Amino acid sequence: MYAPIPVSGNPAMPVPALSGTSLHKTPCRALLDAVPAGILQIGPDESIRFANARFAAMLGYTPDDFPASLCELIHPDTHFHSRHTWKDLWHTMREFEVPIRFRCKNGHYIATDNLVRLMLDENGQPDFALLVSRPALADNQPVSRLHLSLSDPLTSLPTRNYLDYFLPDALARSHKNGKMLALLELNINRFRIVNESLGYDAGDALLREIARRLVHAVHENDSVIRAGGDEFIVVLENIGTPADTAAIASRLMQTVTEPMTLAGHSYSVTVSIGASLYPRDAAESRTLLRYADIALAEARKKPTGNIRFFHPGMHVEPAVKLKLESELRRALEKNEFVLFYQPRLSLKTGEVTSLEALIRWRHPEKGLLSPDTFIPFAEEIGLIGKIGHIVRHNLTRQLMQWRDRPGMPLPVAFNVSTCELCTGHLAASLKDILRETGLPPGMLEVEITESRLIENMHAVRANLASIRKLGIAISIDDFGTGYSSLRYLSSLPIDLLKIDGTFIDGLSESDAMQSIVKSTIGMAHSLNMAVIAEGVSTPDQLDILKSWECDQIQGYLCSPPLPSGELETFLRNRRPGMP
Ligand code: C2E
Ligand code: CA
Ligand code: CA
């Protein structure tokens, strides 16, 4: 099988470093003639400055009677027959793969796979393109329309079809390197309005400008694809953590949003982004694409620009959804939910100083279900408010029971969905609880996930302030998985920052992870926030965190989440100073 030439990573055929001068006179001519692939050097004006012997032979020419211009060589159906699009390439792409039908000396055409790399001179101006060519698989067959539609004539970006060739290779590379790959699907919001109000030329200019910005904003090993209409796909390779993807996604969002001039008007677009991650979400390209689609559909529910990562809760078959919804409603009526409690350990005192309540569903047939299987779905169908209510009900009952036990109760943090913070109900309900039970507000803490915060910032900010006013502490959960900066969060009333477990996981091996975690702890402290490291599971991690003055840890090293009875036993038997 003749594999397509990879666009990025390590090209199957090495691209020699060339200077901008004509190759005819350079001593590397003999070397290039010996390369087992066709090589062309093409000027920005489509002039052919050099063809190696292999390329000339492939088309039946000798190097001396080789045509002087690219347009004499390529099939009229090839998008590069137009000078305009070839020129455009210089502004959008640095390296890309393209199938081209080259015209042989005898008038027949040969289908080829080509890797093109654009070279700039010292002043950053287009100097030449280097094209490395091989005959395509079926070189005696007519080239299919699919093949020709791999490159988009408007933006010169590869099209969605191109992913069929490229993505499996990219996934194999990620697998081999033990890295993640992220698929980002971007949709320009309100693009149609540009076409309708400013005209199609302005719409085209906008798409070209966005293509250009996206290409400039990503690493040269990453790929930008025009998926059709107002949709782009960005493939990020060599991703270390989901947080890296979130950071790049927010950078892309920012660059796209910057104003541009269209038909004499300054115009800003917003963009919705849906992301899926290999291998976290799926191992196979079609599924990853579908999941990115699903995440994009979620993101688009908010019209003003939004980033959403795929989550299994987003993707449930309609029949299954219906059943799950009726089961959830029954579970709410019968209160089939229980809270487990995970201790948090103070690194200063070595004592368990607080707990986190984590919900489980005691399903009559399926047994104990983890929150990931039903919380996202409950958010989607609007049942999360009722679940939150039950969590507070069960938690308050537990705290009242613990009230008279020696050493108890400890303050308990509980998780709250962003949707619960969009109305003032939560603050009002917490106020009622404090009044009715007489519990001191210091016994409660609200945890809110960072990645969802930004979605409803305005309402969230006001409601967090009301909760804080009651004397209840607020922590940011899963810090690092979203795309908010600490400075940005510092405008919210936050007492604690919980660094996500994926960062702690990588602590022992990765220098980058170490510096991220260390500087996060320092910055949080300078903003008067205490820091909890989540998912701490080894003594090494504990030691590192202690040396950086992290305040608390939570994780299997100390204890998994436990039902209340087991937690009491754990705390009774625990030797002071042990993790
Ligand atoms: P979270 O708030 O980040 O909770 C921490 C999760 O990490 C818990 O999963 C916990 O069991 C797990 N964990 C704790 N220590 C370790 C460790 O050392 N290693 C590893 N690998 N994992 C550890 P769980 O209980 O399945 O909860 C999942 C998520 O569900 C929670 O993540 C939280 O976002 C959500 N959730 C849980 N309870 C509630 C709730 O009452 N309401 C809402 N809205 N969401 C909840
Ligand atoms: Ca939490
Ligand atoms: Ca967490």
Side-chain angles (χ1 to χ4, degrees), residues 417-468:
S417 292
T418 327
C419 339
E420 292 180 81
L421 280 169
C422 292
T423 69
H425 290 155
L426 181 63
S429 153
L430 289 169
K431 192 172 178 187
D432 289 346
I433 288 174
L434 294 178
R435 198 188 56 235
E436 285 161 18
T437 60
L439 280 169
M443 292 304 294
L444 295 175
E445 179 188 313
V446 166
E447 284 195 12
I448 169 158
T449 301
E450 185 237 336
S451 59
R452 306 289 306 279
L453 255 188
I454 225 159
E455 291 170 22
N456 297 294
M457 201 55 178
H458 191 65
V460 167
R461 186 195 302 275
N463 289 316
L464 284 180
S466 323
I467 293 170
R468 185 52 144 17

Side-chain angles (χ1 to χ4, degrees), residues 144-214:
S144 69
R145 293 208 67 74
L146 172 75
H147 236 73
L148 287 173
S149 66
L150 287 178
S151 169
D152 166 48
L154 179 69
T155 59
S156 303
L157 293 177
T159 62
R160 195 172 181 130
N161 291 332
Y162 161 86
L163 280 177
D164 293 343
Y165 295 81
F166 167 69
L167 202 49
D169 271 9
L171 288 172
R173 272 198 296 279
S174 300
H175 178 72
K176 194 167 142 230
N177 301 334
K179 292 282 187 182
M180 288 195 216
L181 175 147
L183 215 56
L184 305 181
E185 259 189 55
L186 291 84
N187 183 280
I188 302 162
N189 298 314
R190 295 172 313 195
F191 173 70
R192 214 177 302 154
I193 293 176
V194 175
N195 269 343
E196 282 163 12
S197 58
L198 301 178
Y200 283 87
D201 283 350
D204 286 354
L206 184 145
L207 289 172
R208 274 200 291 264
E209 174 62 11
I210 293 209
R212 191 189 67 78
R213 290 182 186 187
L214 290 175

Side-chain angles (χ1 to χ4, degrees), residues 261-314:
T261 306
L262 290 178
H265 304 272
S266 172
Y267 193 81
S268 298
V269 292
T270 59
V271 65
S272 300
I273 303 181
S276 63
L277 288 173
Y278 164 88
R280 187 187 79 174
D281 300 328
E284 181 267 324
S285 49
R286 293 219 163 269
T287 316
L288 273 177
L289 277 166
R290 194 155 54 89
Y291 286 176
D293 267 347
I294 292 172
L296 177 62
E298 283 293 312
R300 293 190 68 186
K301 286 183 183 164
K302 194 168 163 249
T304 52
N306 190 9
I307 303 173
R308 291 299 301 270
F309 278 75
F310 175 76
H311 188 286
M314 289 177 179

Side-chain angles (χ1 to χ4, degrees), residues 356 415 447 477 498:
E356 177 179 359
N415 294 279
E447 284 195 12
D477 206 354
K498 301 187 73 176

Side-chain angles (χ1 to χ4, degrees), residues 309-554:
F309 278 75
F310 175 76
H311 188 286
M314 289 177 179
H315 161 63
V316 186
E317 300 299 331
V320 178
K321 271 190 179 172
L322 222 60
K323 184 156 183 273
L324 188 58
E325 176 166 354
S326 81
E327 287 183 340
L328 258 182
R329 290 190 187 279
R330 182 206 59 213
L332 280 162
E333 267 168 39
K334 299 194 170 169
N335 193 353
E336 292 174 358
F337 299 100
V338 284
L339 291 177
F340 277 35
Y341 298 88
Q342 188 173 33
R344 290 161 161 188
L345 186 80
S346 158
L347 291 182
K348 287 198 188 76
T349 64
E351 294 301 318
V352 172
T353 45
S354 59
L355 308 169
E356 177 179 359
L358 293 154
I359 195 172
R360 269 91 184 104
W361 177 1
R362 229 184 256 295
H363 192 284
E365 290 123 42
K366 298 179 199 155
L368 208 59
L369 298 183
S370 90
D372 286 335
T373 62
F374 62 92
I375 291 283
F377 180 64
E379 287 176 346
E380 185 188 326
I381 60 169
L383 281 182
I384 195 67
K386 291 206 163 85
I387 292 188
H389 183 78
I390 280 220
V391 167
R392 295 192 294 281
H393 171 83
N394 291 359
L395 175 59
T396 322
R397 209 176 46 192
Q398 184 63 66
L399 283 169
M400 298 305 276
Q401 276 176 20
W402 273 336
R403 197 129 83 156
D404 305 321
R405 306 271 168 87
M408 295 294 267
L410 291 166
V412 182
F414 61 98
N415 294 279
V416 160
S417 292
T418 327
C419 339
E420 292 180 81
L421 280 169
C422 292
T423 69
H425 290 155
L426 181 63
S429 153
L430 289 169
K431 192 172 178 187
D432 289 346
I433 288 174
L434 294 178
R435 198 188 56 235
E436 285 161 18
T437 60
L439 280 169
M443 292 304 294
L444 295 175
E445 179 188 313
V446 166
E447 284 195 12
I448 169 158
T449 301
E450 185 237 336
S451 59
R452 306 289 306 279
L453 255 188
I454 225 159
E455 291 170 22
N456 297 294
M457 201 55 178
H458 191 65
V460 167
R461 186 195 302 275
N463 289 316
L464 284 180
S466 323
I467 293 170
R468 185 52 144 17
K469 228 165 144 189
L470 298 171
I472 293 174
I474 290 163
S475 55
I476 292 296
D477 206 354
D478 306 336
F479 182 74
T481 57
Y483 39 87
S484 16
S485 73
L486 252 184
R487 294 255 149 249
Y488 180 64
L489 290 179
S490 68
S491 68
L492 293 170
I494 292 162
D495 304 277
L496 290 111
L497 195 77
K498 301 187 73 176
I499 301 181
D500 190 65
T502 48
F503 293 93
I504 310 303
D505 262 354
L507 262 193
S508 312
E509 299 95 54
S510 158
D511 289 352
M513 220 53 115
Q514 292 197 1
S515 62
I516 291 171
V517 173
K518 191 175 178 187
S519 69
T520 304
I521 295 173
M523 281 193 292
H525 284 166
S526 72
L527 295 166
N528 286 327
M529 298 176 191
V531 179
I532 302 183
E534 296 190 281
V536 176
S537 52
T538 69
D540 275 5
Q541 294 166 348
L542 177 103
D543 290 341
I544 297 176
L545 290 161
K546 215 180 209 167
S547 72
W548 293 338
E549 299 182 340
C550 178
D551 303 276
Q552 298 176 43
I553 59 148
Q554 190 179 333

